[in-house]
Amino acid sequence: MSILSEKAGHDLFVYGSLQDPQVVNVLLNRVPDHASAVLSGFHRFRIKNRLYPTILPDSTGEVTGKVLKGITDDERKLLDDFEDVEYDRKAVEVVLTDTSEKLQVGTYVWKNKDDPDLYGEWDFEEWKRGDREAFVTATKKFVEERKLPEAKTRIDTFKTFFKQDDIEDGRPLDS
């Protein structure tokens, strides 16, 4: 039995960039066990000038994603910091795709339900093709910044790396 399996871990439903093993590995230095899942009653939005999505309640919506299993307390704190002040971690029920098992898990929900910058539907496959590389690089910067005495938040780190306030598509500064 591993040390991780002896501790009570947390399960977390992820629906955006955290579905990507590269991003998770940069943050946690490992890729936890995971399973595909569906969250009903929510919609996944694009966010103007951002490369990551958010979700908000929507009675007719359905969001696909993954459940990361066995997240430690320290990892959950790091993920809370990564999601920063824009999100609240909420308890939700998801259904695992392979087994139809229902699970109570945490997920990150956008705080500002009336945000005018939310629109459309965010697409994971599109993100992987066009934005993953830059996002992984920005995530590495976030991890490096956390080691500094006056660490920047994820929002500040990403604003430094991406032109989020200057252009429509939020491309990296060096592109």
Side-chain angles (χ1 to χ4, degrees):
M1 209 178 209
S2 77
I3 292 173
L4 287 178
S5 62
E6 290 174 1
K7 288 182 164 182
H10 306 280
D11 294 338
L12 184 69
F13 178 74
V14 296
Y15 52 83
S17 59
L18 291 175
Q19 292 180 85
D20 189 82
Q22 285 181 279
V23 173
V24 173
N25 192 50
V26 167
L27 288 166
L28 305 182
N29 287 319
R30 72 182 187 102
V31 178
D33 288 341
H34 54 275
S36 296
V38 175
L39 172 63
S40 294
F42 283 81
H43 178 82
R44 177 178 27 218
F45 290 94
R46 291 178 177 270
I47 310 168
K48 183 180 177 184
N49 297 335
R50 311 288 177 96
L51 299 182
Y52 50 88
T54 193
I55 59 171
L56 283 173
D58 174 355
S59 62
T60 62
E62 190 172 87
V63 177
T64 58
K66 293 181 180 176
V67 173
L68 301 180
K69 298 180 177 184
I71 300 295
T72 67
D73 289 344
D74 288 344
E75 290 170 335
R76 188 167 76 171
K77 169 71 172 110
L78 184 137
L79 292 169
D80 286 350
D81 290 350
F82 184 70
E83 296 298 344
D84 216 330
V85 298
E86 298 174 310
Y87 294 86
D88 282 325
R89 183 171 21 88
K90 302 280 189 183
V92 295
E93 182 178 88
V94 297
V95 177
L96 297 182
T97 306
D98 291 345
T99 64
S100 298
E101 178 186 358
K102 293 180 180 179
L103 287 180
Q104 294 292 318
V105 299
T107 197
Y108 294 100
V109 178
W110 199 246
K111 283 184 177 179
N112 182 1
K113 64 180 177 51
D114 299 317
D115 190 333
D117 290 339
L118 304 184
Y119 68 99
E121 173 77 28
W122 187 85
D123 183 275
F124 182 59
E125 295 303 319
E126 179 183 316
W127 175 87
K128 287 193 316 188
R129 287 188 303 274
D131 298 318
R132 173 175 33 196
E133 185 177 330
F135 195 91
V136 168
T137 302
T139 303
K140 287 177 182 176
K141 284 194 70 66
F142 165 78
V143 170
E144 291 168 14
E145 288 280 343
R146 283 180 53 85
K147 296 174 187 172
L148 300 176
E150 295 180 18
K152 290 181 182 177
T153 65
R154 192 260 314 145
I155 294 170
D156 289 340
T157 301
F158 275 41
K159 280 184 179 178
T160 301
F161 187 78
F162 295 104
K163 298 185 222 177
Q164 291 182 341
D165 295 331
D166 298 333
I167 61 173
E168 287 297 311
D169 63 358
R171 295 290 164 221
L173 290 170
D174 58 1
S175 65

